[in-house]
Amino acid sequence: MNIYCKSALHQIKVAVTTIVEIIEKLTENDLQKRPTSNKQSIGELLEHIALICEADSLISDGASQDTMNKFYSSVSYKSLNGIKEALIKNHQFLEDKFMNFTEVELQEEVTSFWGVTYSRYEWLLEIVAHIYHHRGQLHSMLIHCYGIDPKVPLFE
């Protein structure tokens, strides 16, 4: 396996592990909290985070907008346990998939439905950025909007 790919997957695992730890500090009531009326609730954000590994994997394969819309409408996680299980399952799916790519496959370029073209490895880096972005968003929402400090170290 490509050492850079292995390192990127490790960083995703760090993010997923810390998100799971944050989830374990929340209550079901926290899912309904919505710091800004026209933005995602904590539950909606967590549901989005749980889908990142699988959804972005589909995008990295060149899935159409229609395929993505069908994917998003086919999944729903409304409990902390469901979100946590989906996050872990989807992370494992992504890791298994990328661990099996050859060097040639990692360098293959794939174009998204909105026209951005990256190598598969670059798509993996986008997934790292995406999951870390939303983990930071979740952490900030909890601390600054609700005074909930999960006391989870975000980095190794």
Side-chain angles (χ1 to χ4, degrees):
M1 153 168 296
N2 177 299
I3 189 161
Y4 301 110
C5 188
K6 186 175 180 181
S7 296
L9 288 168
H10 174 73
Q11 291 305 310
I12 293 170
K13 184 174 184 140
V14 168
V16 167
T17 300
T18 56
I19 293 164
V20 166
E21 289 177 31
I22 291 170
I23 289 170
E24 290 173 346
K25 307 271 177 116
L26 300 176
T27 68
E28 295 295 329
N29 289 336
D30 292 327
L31 296 176
Q32 305 309 312
K33 294 178 178 170
R34 184 181 308 273
T36 306
S37 62
N38 62 342
K39 298 294 181 184
Q40 292 180 319
S41 68
I42 290 172
E44 291 163 343
L45 176 59
L46 281 169
E47 184 176 27
H48 176 72
I49 291 169
L51 295 175
I52 289 172
C53 288
E54 186 174 1
D56 287 8
S57 170
L58 291 169
I59 292 168
S60 78
D61 287 337
S64 68
Q65 186 169 11
D66 186 52
T67 297
M68 294 310 300
N69 290 339
K70 286 177 184 170
F71 169 76
Y72 286 123
S73 66
S74 73
V75 290
S76 179
Y77 308 111
K78 299 302 180 197
S79 70
L80 289 169
N81 195 50
I83 291 167
K84 183 170 74 169
E85 287 175 3
L87 178 62
I88 293 166
K89 176 185 73 82
N90 292 337
H91 167 254
Q92 190 61 58
F93 165 80
L94 179 76
E95 190 170 285
D96 292 345
K97 177 180 177 175
F98 271 84
M99 297 247 327
N100 288 308
F101 281 138
T102 65
E103 290 290 327
V104 171
E105 289 169 323
L106 284 171
Q107 294 310 315
E108 182 181 338
E109 291 190 341
V110 179
T111 302
S112 69
F113 64 84
W114 64 89
V116 173
T117 301
Y118 292 137
S119 69
R120 277 207 170 92
Y121 176 71
E122 287 175 298
W123 281 115
L124 182 62
L125 295 180
E126 282 291 316
I127 296 168
V128 172
H130 192 184
I131 201 160
Y132 270 87
H133 162 75
H134 287 303
R135 185 190 65 172
Q137 184 182 26
L138 172 65
H139 191 261
S140 292
M141 285 169 66
L142 292 171
I143 288 181
H144 299 296
C145 299
Y146 297 105
I148 300 170
D149 184 352
K151 296 186 184 342
V152 172
L154 299 181
F155 300 95
E156 291 182 302

